[in-house]
Amino acid sequence: MRRYDASEIEPKWVAAWDAEGRFRASEDPGDTRPKFYALDMFPYPSGDLHMGHAEAFSGGDAVARFKAMQGHNVLHPIGWDAFGLPAENAAIKRGIAPAEWTYANIEQQAASFKRMGMSFDWSRQLNTCDPSYYRWTQWLFTKFFERGLAYRKKSAVNWCPNDATVLANEQVKQGACERCGAVVERRDLTQWFLRITDYTQRLLDDEAELIDWPERVLTMQRNWIGRSQGAEVTFAIKETGEEIPVFTTRPDTLWGVTFFVFSVEHPAVRRLAELGGTWDEVSVLVDQARATSLNSREAADTKEGVFLGVHAVNPVSGEEIPCYAAPYVLMEYGTGAIMAVPGHDERDFAFARTHEVPVRVVIQPRDADPLDGDTMTEAFAGEGVMVNSGHFDGQETPASIAAVVEWLEAEGRGEGTVNYRLRDWLISRQRYWGPPIPIIHCPACGEVAVPESDLPVELPADVDFQPGGDSPLARHPSWKRVTCPTCGGEAERDTDTMDTFVDSSWYYLRYCSPGYLDGPFDPAAVAAWMPVGQYTGGVEHAILHLLYSRFVTKVLYDMGMVPFTEPFPRVMNQGQVIYGGASMSKSKGNIVEPMPIVQRWGADSVRLIMLFAGPFEDDIDWKLIAGEDPDRRPGVHSWLSRVFTAVGDAVERGDAPEPDALVRLTNRTIKGVTEDLERFRFNTAISKLQVLTNETRAALDGGAGARSAARSLTLMLAPFAPFIAEELWRVDLGEPGSVADGPWPEFDPALVVEDTVQLIVQVDGRVRDRIEVAATISEADALAAAKASENARRAVDGREVVKEIVRAPKLVNLVTRG
RNA sequence: GCGAGAGUGGCGGAAUCUGGCAGACGCGCUGGGUUUAGGUCCCAGUGCCCGCAAGGGCGUGGGGGUUCAAAUCCCCCCUCUCGCACCA
């Protein structure tokens, strides 16, 4: 009798699959199988695989293998999101080149993925830091540039004085540098942006095409885009006559405006303050804002602010109101100035009470006592009836808002408009390890895109990339000196590089034709494989990566390069792997790594631990599911041992007849596991396979045969534990070919039902008896059987049965009275 | 504060979509067996309470409702997690 030994089985099949060139997607035009694109978010190659990879890729691989066994031509690629700051930092720390560090990690992660038996098409491997890839990242940038979708402008950015580099918004936590903890400053730098704001409404409208996205991800994207419907209204400054527009979602409260507030960064503030004689005071606020990071300003005090000494004129009432500058008004949203309605806005209310500005009620709640501006203790932001608003008095929200907008437009005093929270995508980085921005700055011609024939603009290797306050590429003595492609005069390359999110915004397209030389992708291949059938990855990419990819796809659609507008109609997020309720981290010393467990117990066990722990999208607390002893044998490993011996025994038993109950259970299991896999409910699928294993063993123990049950079990195990399945399939069952090719087992509908079932007998809703009856029992017979039950009779206890609920063959409920 | 999701044994979870045996499956634990240095392996038990048992009572965060019947549907409340958070 052979014993289950993963360390013997698994390396053997790793080598065999490699030698067989298995898991290659077919490009044979004669291959009529339906295509399925199973995509996993490509990993960032820092160090070896971590538990999060093991979780995500176990799920993604189960889907890919399931689809392949069902007869799909599956594209399941892998690649490396290889550019980025961590590589640069690691390289600085170790005194080696970022490329060296990155390629070493790629090698290690690739070896680990192979050891785990991931069914990747290795022939399509791509790497964003390879010139053959980033050539096309740069090409796409030039296309965006040509279409006016890439542009440069001066902008306030986060700056870490310690690391001497700009930081992405995501790298700033509570106003401090995520890595070194230094307080982040603001700097005004000229930056490259992609005009995602041109696509805002389409990003919202095309939500209908996102057939199967987690609800919370959709919500997060919607909130991030932040659509607000309202009106733009123009106030005039009394002292200068200049016109300042504001955005409001509540034009119906225009008659309640009692003051006007500028962002401290508003360009008119200094001039107006000097005119009003308040600049000494205002400049303190301005300096304060400059010293604070963009992110920490979120916490600015609502009540802080300074009177500018000038006044604004309310366009609907002609009333003159004081103007303030206050940090609670954001320059980045709307117009950078607001009309303040303290009666109906919480923030304006707090400001008004502090600065003793009058509060005026112009909306009265419908079913409550009338409010009084002098005595109210909080703003009323709800719906109600307009008052003190001229001829609009008596109109009710929300209809009143539309009515006011209509009137404003007719009067030429404002217009209905929509505002979004979403800003353009800042992609330039003053870092080394990214694709250089393919632009040449010519004194005569301005910004000129590098011609396609000159791409890629390669990243020079001989660069001092120590952080120093400017782009490392700018420090290179010769790299930036070029001639202008347009006029031939002396010119300079742009020395910034692109954000890694640009690299990852189109990699899924490149997979379809990874060696393609005439463009970023072969349009025919993309049309054949895309959109992605199932996209698996972490919820941390719910907003940025997924939103950017959707944007890029829409631009490519507009360019006529792809025939679809959404790249990922179906997305699933794996949960996080945590330890003791907290995320794993070096500083906490609680990191558990998958590869040592693979070595100890096998890749099949690691995959099963992950997928059996609970729903795929739920977090896994390693401490709870695995305990604290790293040597403790995982439960799934014991199960695999039992599967191994059961299948072996079943083969030895040959064609001995199988019990009818086992045949039915096998059919039911096929149905259930198939349905579970279609909905990515791996944990319940595995549980069903364990039940089938237990019953198979029981049949064998009883002297019966179980060969067909064992065969189905082996097939269904393959998406989760591909190694043991392959071993049992090819060696024990002696089947020709790989279990990875299936076929996925089918069930006989006639055999998914039991021939006998337990009839539940209830009296007044309480279970009193369980009777074994034929599954086909009639309602009358079921009722009779229930009434014959001794237990039920005792429970009725002479009372009158007033109602008989019969749901044959499952249940009878006798309802009594008295 | 706003939005989303979730509360079930000692633990992970199942049953929730479609109202009908709550606790599948697994971990852990208890007892027994084989082997024995231990682990492995095999068998039995394991929601709580009463009971030798048969059986009975209670039980899915709390309260109310609908129903013959509620973990499941509806209303209110509590708690937790996640996301967003001066967005005018």
Side-chain angles (χ1 to χ4, degrees), chain A residues 26-59:
Chain A
S26 166
E27 294 291 358
D28 176 4
D31 192 325
T32 55
R33 292 177 298 168
K35 290 184 164 64
F36 188 87
Y37 189 170
L39 180 65
D40 306 307
M41 288 183 188
F42 65 165
Y44 188 87
S46 66
D48 202 351
L49 300 183
H50 52 67
M51 277 298 174
H53 293 123
E55 160 80 353
F57 287 92
S58 296

Side-chain angles (χ1 to χ4, degrees), chain A residues 760-779:
Chain A
I760 305 306
V761 182
Q762 296 182 336
V763 176
D764 295 323
R766 291 160 188 260
V767 178
R768 295 301 175 184
D769 207 354
R770 303 176 172 90
I771 306 170
E772 191 83 1
V773 298
T776 52
I777 193 170
S778 70
E779 300 224 324

Side-chain angles (χ1 to χ4, degrees), chain A residues 674-692:
Chain A
T674 306
E675 286 168 0
D676 283 348
L677 268 171
E678 274 157 4
R679 296 161 70 183
F680 318 118
R681 298 170 58 138
F682 309 121
N683 57 329
T684 52
I686 292 165
S687 143
K688 290 180 174 81
L689 294 178
Q690 292 176 339
V691 173
L692 181 59

Side-chain angles (χ1 to χ4, degrees), chain A residues 162-318:
Chain A
N162 186 46
D163 287 353
T165 179
V166 293
L167 300 173
N169 272 342
E170 315 84 69
Q171 292 170 311
V172 181
K173 299 282 185 251
Q174 273 125 33
C177 174
E178 183 184 44
R179 281 172 296 128
C180 69
V183 175
V184 170
E185 299 169 0
R186 303 179 45 201
R187 290 218 172 163
D188 288 319
L189 294 171
T190 302
Q191 302 289 320
W192 283 99
F193 292 85
L194 297 187
R195 213 178 287 279
I196 192 172
T197 52
D198 271 13
Y199 286 75
T200 327
Q201 195 55 49
R202 283 170 65 185
L203 287 165
L204 288 172
D205 292 344
D206 290 349
E207 246 185 39
E209 293 175 48
L210 308 178
I211 302 159
D212 196 6
W213 277 41
E215 191 55 44
R216 63 176 168 155
V217 174
L218 284 176
T219 306
M220 282 163 75
Q221 291 221 346
R222 227 176 278 137
N223 291 343
W224 187 261
I225 294 169
R227 183 184 200 274
S228 291
Q229 186 133 19
E232 194 166 291
V233 184
T234 303
F235 282 63
I237 300 302
K238 176 189 146 201
E239 286 80 359
T240 66
E242 69 196 283
E243 299 198 319
I244 309 288
V246 299
F247 174 74
T248 178
T249 53
R250 292 295 301 273
D252 57 321
T253 63
L254 262 164
W255 287 264
V257 175
T258 56
F259 58 106
F260 192 94
V261 191
F262 287 90
S263 165
V264 295
E265 294 163 274
H266 195 286
V269 159
R270 177 162 193 166
R271 194 163 27 80
L272 294 177
E274 283 173 348
L275 182 71
T278 60
W279 176 241
D280 286 352
E281 237 182 307
V282 174
S283 64
V284 174
L285 279 185
V286 173
D287 291 345
Q288 202 178 299
R290 292 211 160 274
T292 326
S293 84
L294 288 170
N295 297 53
S296 66
R297 273 190 314 149
E298 287 162 7
D301 188 348
T302 311
K303 305 180 195 77
E304 204 178 1
V306 175
F307 176 51
L308 285 174
V310 297
H311 300 80
V313 182
N314 186 328
V316 298
S317 63

Side-chain angles (χ1 to χ4, degrees), chain A residues 539-596:
Chain A
V539 73
E540 67 271 19
H541 292 117
I543 298 176
L544 299 180
H545 164 61
L546 290 177
L547 197 63
Y548 296 152
S549 299
R550 296 179 60 206
F551 161 55
V552 167
T553 297
K554 288 175 200 307
V555 175
L556 292 171
Y557 175 83
D558 289 350
M559 291 167 66
M561 292 181 67
V562 301
F564 47 87
T565 54
E566 287 289 344
F568 317 126
R570 295 165 200 277
V571 169
M572 67 175 185
N573 299 124
Q574 80 277 7
Q576 304 255 329
V577 184
I578 57 176
Y579 192 89
S583 57
M584 291 188 185
S585 76
K586 274 186 197 145
S587 56
K588 291 183 201 125
N590 62 356
I591 291 188
V592 181
E593 292 185 312
M595 293 321 289

